[in-house]
Amino acid sequence: MLYRRLATAALLLALGCGQRDGSCDPGKSYTCYSGPSGTIGVGECRAGSYLCSSAAKPQPCSGEVAPSAELCDGRDNDCNGSVDEGVTNACGGCAPLLRQPGDSCASCGKYVCQTKETVGCQAGQANNCGACGVPDVQGLGQSCTGPDGCPGKTACSPDAGALAACSAPKRNNCGACGAPDVQGLGGSCTSSGCPGTFACSDAGTGAVCVSTQLNNCGACGQPNEPDGDSDGRGDPCDNCPSTPNPTQADGDSDGKGDACDNCPSASNSSQADSDGDGQGDACDNCPAASNPSQSDLDSDGKGDACDVCPAIADPAQTDSDSDGKGDLCDILISELAAAGPAGNNDELVELYNGTPSAVDISGLKLQYRAVAGASYSTVATVPPNTSMPARGYYLVVSGGDAGYSGSTSPDLVRTNSSDAGIGLQLAATGGHLRLGLPGIASSPDAGALVLDTLGWGAAIGAEGTPVAAPTFSAGESLERKANASSTAASMESGADALSGNNRDSDDNLQDFVVRGARQPQNRLSPSEP
């Protein structure tokens, strides 16, 4: 310490200290320090300096660090040669401790320092009754019988020091062990309309009304009536005497119990069922067509068995062309080219609306399946807010490199954003093209969600027999007939050229012809017929 003070004095002399009377040499720098003697250079304390002004007056001291209150920061703030003295916690850290070392904690333990900032419980040893520092109590948990004859177990005494007497419940006023007394015994009561008296239940934990019994038709104290369906309800008062229905539920109040009512939600006392499917005419969504399950895929109130468009809701059941298929789902594939003069990607698919009304086709999907493929993949989806005109067309083509080369403008161009050369990707030698409703999946068996399927070449899943694959690369295409007698010649330039494409016998071979030169149409094309 003496050496440090001598060194400090030497430093002050070397720098040149100002005069005691406040005068100094103008322009000269002086050392300054306001802390106690002997603290310069100790801990955080440092001397400062000041500059003498032109008027020979000292300027304010700058850069000085004097002693300050000690903080818990790993530094000697008060410059006494010690660090963090008097401000640390009991574990040597800075944070307040929630518990102090040595305090008691659970399981007969004591708190000990874990780190400078935390304490933890160091468990001790408790006996089997939770007492600290005494031996285990023997014989706990053995069966015993209490004064009321109720079974119990030996248990720890309250002070956990010795074996307690048998711990067992008492009996209530009905003889049940451990249950509260039952109130109201002996009072009058009524059970199922018959008078009686309250008595202990079989378990002894409650009161039950003991009375004369109702017979199976609700009469007190009378013998039971015949019960043919063994449902506990006598035949003279059973609303379903041949079908068990113990609750006698009759939701439509027509006198026929729900269990045997062929229309339990609609009154039909006559039980009329014209189609014999077990569903009464009053509630049958297809009263003239058998449909026991009442399946209604589109939830339009018309059962699938008689719905002209089972997958699209159409309560009006509009079928303008009387072909058995409702207008909302009467959209067909009318022309197909799986390749063309410009190459394999020169593809087109034309759709036809054979009804006299415009139809919203938003979300309809075109799906492709290889000749022997296990499932379909979606190759195009009609955008939202798309309508096909009455007796009109919709044209989908492939885009990208060597894509569609026709002069008729497409309504939808199918391209892949990652490769402009990929379009519909139909195989020219054979395959399946399917038109489906928005919810259609990839399974070949998609049921009512399939609107139309065209198979060509060696397709195994065509409608009826597949059509032979034409020479697509030469500009040929497959076109749906206008009627049963249509031919390639009549469709190209003959009597049926402007008669539409509404032939649909569900047999591709009978419904399509091979055109020598494809002639696609779009939504702007004239309606046909």
Side-chain angles (χ1 to χ4, degrees):
M1 180 65 76
L2 177 59
Y3 173 78
R4 182 181 293 115
R5 290 175 180 174
L6 291 174
T8 301
L11 174 64
L12 295 175
L13 290 173
L15 295 175
C17 293
Q19 303 300 316
R20 295 287 185 177
D21 60 3
S23 63
C24 58
D25 295 333
K28 191 172 183 178
S29 177
Y30 294 88
T31 298
C32 54
Y33 183 68
S34 62
S37 174
T39 58
I40 295 179
V42 179
E44 299 297 302
C45 292
R46 299 288 183 273
S49 65
Y50 69 87
L51 187 67
C52 185
S53 71
S54 59
K57 296 295 182 181
Q59 299 298 303
C61 187
S62 174
E64 173 191 36
V65 179
S68 61
E70 192 71 7
L71 302 175
C72 191
D73 59 359
R75 298 180 178 182
D76 182 8
N77 307 103
D78 57 5
C79 304
N80 68 350
S82 299
V83 176
D84 292 349
E85 73 279 7
V87 294
T88 55
N89 61 30
C91 290
C94 296
L97 299 175
L98 297 179
R99 297 286 188 274
Q100 296 300 314
D103 289 352
S104 297
C105 59
S107 302
C108 304
K110 298 287 186 183
Y111 283 104
V112 298
C113 293
Q114 290 182 321
T115 67
K116 288 184 177 183
E117 310 296 348
T118 61
V119 295
C121 184
Q122 188 176 66
Q125 184 65 43
N127 76 348
N128 60 346
C129 281
C132 297
V134 296
D136 284 346
V137 176
Q138 304 301 311
L140 297 178
Q142 295 181 354
S143 298
C144 60
T145 302
D148 279 4
C150 293
K153 296 283 184 181
T154 54
C156 293
S157 62
D159 60 4
L163 188 67
C166 181
S167 178
K170 296 181 178 181
R171 293 185 184 274
N172 70 354
N173 60 347
C174 281
C177 290
D181 283 345
V182 177
Q183 305 301 313
L185 298 179
S188 298
C189 60
T190 300
S191 176
S192 301
C194 296
T197 303
F198 282 115
C200 291
S201 65
D202 292 341
T205 57
V208 294
C209 185
V210 179
S211 66
T212 57
Q213 298 297 308
L214 290 172
N215 75 349
N216 57 8
C217 271
C220 292
Q222 299 297 315
N224 284 332
E225 300 287 351
D227 182 8
D229 55 11
S230 302
D231 63 355
R233 191 73 175 179
D235 292 346
C237 57
D238 193 341
N239 60 13
C240 277
S242 300
T243 305
N245 62 331
T247 66
Q248 295 291 285
D250 180 11
D252 55 10
S253 303
D254 62 357
K256 199 71 172 180
D258 293 347
C260 59
D261 193 339
N262 63 12
C263 213
S265 60
S267 181
N268 62 333
S269 57
S270 69
Q271 297 291 285
D273 179 12
S274 302
D275 55 10
D277 62 359
Q279 299 291 331
D281 292 350
C283 61
D284 194 340
N285 60 14
C286 276
S290 179
N291 60 334
S293 69
Q294 295 290 281
S295 173
D296 182 7
L297 180 64
D298 55 13
S299 302
D300 62 357
K302 199 70 172 179
D304 295 344
C306 59
D307 195 335
V308 295
C309 196
I312 302 180
D314 180 18
Q317 295 290 287
T318 306
D319 180 13
S320 303
D321 54 7
S322 302
D323 63 353
K325 185 178 287 189
D327 290 358
L328 294 182
C329 58
D330 202 2
I331 307 298
L332 298 171
I333 299 169
S334 53
E335 188 172 0
L336 166 73
N344 290 336
N345 204 35
D346 187 4
E347 303 164 296
L348 68 87
V349 178
E350 177 193 276
L351 305 180
Y352 177 62
N353 170 20
T355 72
S357 303
V359 176
D360 186 348
I361 61 170
S362 301
L364 292 191
K365 296 181 182 298
L366 282 175
Q367 296 185 315
Y368 174 68
R369 174 186 172 202
V371 166
S375 62
Y376 280 88
S377 60
T378 298
V379 296
T381 302
V382 178
N385 304 314
T386 301
S387 177
M388 279 184 72
R391 313 289 191 193
Y393 295 88
Y394 188 81
L395 181 59
V396 182
V397 304
S398 288
D401 299 338
Y404 169 68
S405 64
S407 60
T408 301
S409 299
D411 297 305
L412 175 63
V413 179
R414 171 65 168 88
T415 54
N416 185 301
S417 59
S418 64
D419 183 348
I422 295 179
L424 295 172
Q425 291 288 280
L426 311 177
T429 56
H432 311 76
L433 184 70
R434 183 168 76 178
L435 178 63
L437 294 169
I440 194 167
S442 60
S443 169
D445 182 15
L449 295 177
V450 179
L451 298 182
D452 194 20
T453 300
L454 170 57
W456 66 98
I460 62 173
E463 287 186 2
T465 304
V467 187
T471 307
F472 292 119
S473 60
E476 293 182 348
S477 67
L478 294 174
E479 183 179 29
R480 183 179 293 277
K481 297 178 179 180
N483 51 64
S485 62
S486 297
T487 64
S490 70
M491 291 299 297
E492 288 190 31
S493 59
D496 298 321
L498 300 176
S499 298
N501 303 89
N502 214 29
R503 164 70 173 171
D504 187 16
S505 68
D506 291 333
D507 187 330
N508 293 156
L509 183 61
Q510 299 299 320
D511 293 341
F512 281 83
V513 296
V514 175
R515 287 185 63 99
R518 59 189 188 176
Q519 189 180 20
Q521 298 169 89
N522 62 17
R523 284 193 294 175
L524 298 179
S525 299
S527 61
E528 295 184 14

